[in-house]
Amino acid sequence: MTTTPAPTGANPAPPQTRSLLREPAFLRLWAGTTASGLATWALPFVLGLAVLHRDLGAAGLGLVLAARTAGFLVAVAVGGVLADRHSRRTVVLWSALMAAVAAPLLIAGLGRSVALMTVAAALAGAGQGACRPAFQALTAETVIPEHRQRANAAITMAVRSSTLAGPALTSLLATFLDVRTLLLGIGLLWVMAALIPGRGARAAAERLDEPVPCTGFRADFLEGMREARRHPWFLAGLAALGAVITLGYSATSVALPLISRDRYGTEWVLAAAMTGYTLGALAGAAVIARWRPRSQGLVALAGLAAYGFAPLSLMLPVHPLVVVAAYVLAGVGIELFNVPWFTATQREVAPDKLARVSSLDFLVSYGLAPVGLALIAPAVHAFGVTAVLAACAVVCFLAPAAAALVPTARHFARTPPAPVVRPGAPARR
């Protein structure tokens, strides 16, 4: 059984290797991940256009999106196990093709059968969920450790850029193309995600050196959970992330449209805040692509805590530009957390369990958001929006601070990094 590799440290001196942008294997992985991210984002938007065109009702849209989320949550755990048992490239191939097959089924059901569209949406969500942990593990197989943080930042920037430019592009295409053609385009994006990435060479060779014992799904999944428990920083960071998503993200998703309408009397604040969040995330990813802080875990958790400024700005009678600035800061912070978090997971977790541990991350990230949305609306009705936002802001600040108290959280590593000794300088004892 493969064991956890020794941590490489938070401040390694990178070797003189060529740029990631000149690595065909990474470029293929980047293109495939970007295509999957764009397809994932585009589906709810295009289905919203179907509602505007009266091809789908509002209740049907809710049912279809719920089925998509359910398919994702079921498949992300299954995909993690499969990606640790078999080739990550193969799991990406078949899961992306599964999502691609959902597109013609959605087209067939559009305006005719909500039941067929619900099944197709569940299939699309399952394909999306199964490929996420496989893509995460495939990145570790494709990119050398010294370049993984930059690689994760590049992938994040591509996905964020698609969410920024995607609405305008889709709206433009919708003036020339109907909803069925747009759905077909989503299916083609998934075909690209399936076929473009190559097979990772580095960790795959190590992982497949020993035969994989034939065990059941439950045993394999629990083995991945045991691996996660071996990393206290991971459990602490995941708990903090879950708290921020469940309360902070959900509260702002409900409150921002209401406050934009009721307090400021315009939808401009809603649009500007969401755009500012994405621009901030792009800036944060660009910064962390090259920045290597000595205590990367503390910096990452501080970035996660910055999301607390979003609900804080909504509960105070401030100028709308202050709200936008708070969302920009939250966007910067979320990528200061995400990129080192993904990189540390790829570095610290045993290669043969990486996909399963990553699936736990995605289960929390995507699974708790609907729970939070379901709880926030009744809480706002019972206690008022200001009280709910205040409580959520406090949780956003305190949960990462509590996670930072875990000893291994400082560096997102079980052992602290070795100090970097400059040439000619005496080594510290």
Side-chain angles (χ1 to χ4, degrees):
M1 182 76 57
T2 307
T3 57
T4 305
T8 57
N11 299 298
Q16 297 298 319
T17 56
R18 62 180 181 175
S19 168
L20 274 175
L21 297 180
R22 298 175 61 187
E23 293 285 349
F26 171 71
L27 291 177
R28 293 178 64 182
L29 174 67
W30 177 87
T33 307
T34 302
S36 72
L38 185 56
T40 297
W41 168 86
L43 182 57
F45 191 86
V46 172
L47 291 176
L49 292 177
V51 174
L52 294 179
H53 295 171
R54 302 186 185 279
D55 292 321
L56 182 66
L61 175 63
L63 183 62
V64 168
L65 293 180
R68 178 186 183 231
T69 300
F72 176 92
L73 294 176
V74 171
V76 72
V78 176
V81 171
L82 292 177
D84 280 340
R85 280 183 180 179
H86 307 291
S87 163
R88 275 78 186 259
R89 178 65 189 88
T90 301
V91 174
V92 167
L93 172 66
W94 289 108
S95 59
L97 288 178
M98 182 192 308
V101 168
L105 295 178
L106 285 168
I107 294 172
L110 190 64
R112 299 185 183 93
S113 172
V114 174
L116 178 58
M117 293 189 69
T118 301
V119 172
L123 189 65
Q128 175 196 345
C131 77
R132 287 302 298 271
F135 265 127
Q136 182 78 349
L138 191 59
T139 302
E141 294 185 356
T142 303
V143 182
I144 61 174
E146 291 79 7
H147 286 173
R148 285 176 191 163
Q149 185 156 318
R150 190 170 298 179
N152 287 320
I155 292 172
T156 291
M157 291 178 71
V159 174
R160 294 291 184 184
S161 296
S162 69
T163 64
L164 185 63
L169 178 60
T170 306
S171 299
L172 178 63
L173 291 175
T175 61
F176 304 99
L177 306 173
D178 60 14
V179 173
R180 288 174 173 80
T181 305
L182 293 175
L183 287 172
L184 183 61
I186 291 174
L188 292 177
L189 284 172
W190 278 115
V191 172
M192 292 172 58
L195 300 180
I196 290 177
R199 178 182 174 89
R202 293 179 175 86
E206 300 174 3
R207 188 168 57 90
L208 299 177
D209 277 344
E210 300 177 7
V212 179
C214 185
T215 55
F217 169 82
R218 182 175 180 274
D220 280 357
F221 186 78
L222 291 177
E223 186 181 25
M225 300 307 98
R226 285 192 292 271
E227 172 66 17
R229 289 198 296 270
R230 293 183 60 247
H231 305 278
W233 63 268
F234 180 85
L235 295 181
L238 191 61
L241 177 63
V244 170
I245 288 175
T246 306
L247 297 178
Y249 182 81
S250 299
T252 54
S253 297
V254 172
L256 178 59
L258 298 176
I259 290 175
S260 180
R261 180 197 64 192
D262 297 339
R263 180 188 299 169
Y264 300 108
T266 175
E267 296 178 355
W268 175 86
V269 178
L270 169 63
M274 297 311 299
T275 302
Y277 179 80
T278 302
L279 291 175
L282 285 169
V287 168
I288 203 62
R290 294 183 176 274
W291 184 29
R292 301 295 188 274
R294 293 184 62 86
S295 300
Q296 64 171 356
L298 296 185
V299 171
L301 290 169
L304 182 62
Y307 196 90
F309 289 107
L312 185 64
S313 70
L314 295 178
M315 63 173 287
L316 300 174
V318 296
H319 192 277
L321 290 180
V322 176
V323 176
V324 176
Y327 270 81
V328 171
L329 181 60
V332 171
I334 203 67
E335 293 307 335
L336 291 182
F337 174 82
N338 279 339
V339 173
W341 173 260
F342 291 144
T343 305
T345 304
Q346 293 161 353
R347 181 188 67 236
E348 296 290 320
V349 173
D352 63 325
K353 303 178 184 68
L354 176 57
R356 280 170 284 178
V357 174
S358 296
S359 71
L360 176 62
D361 181 6
F362 295 127
L363 275 171
V364 170
S365 301
Y366 287 85
L368 292 181
V371 175
L373 289 172
L375 295 176
I376 290 298
V380 168
H381 184 267
F383 304 105
V385 66
T386 301
V388 171
L389 288 171
C392 292
V394 169
V395 171
C396 288
F397 290 130
L398 292 185
L405 299 177
V406 175
T408 57
R410 179 175 181 179
H411 303 290
F412 278 174
R414 295 186 66 196
T415 58
V420 177
V421 180
R422 297 179 179 178
R428 294 187 179 182
R429 294 185 181 273

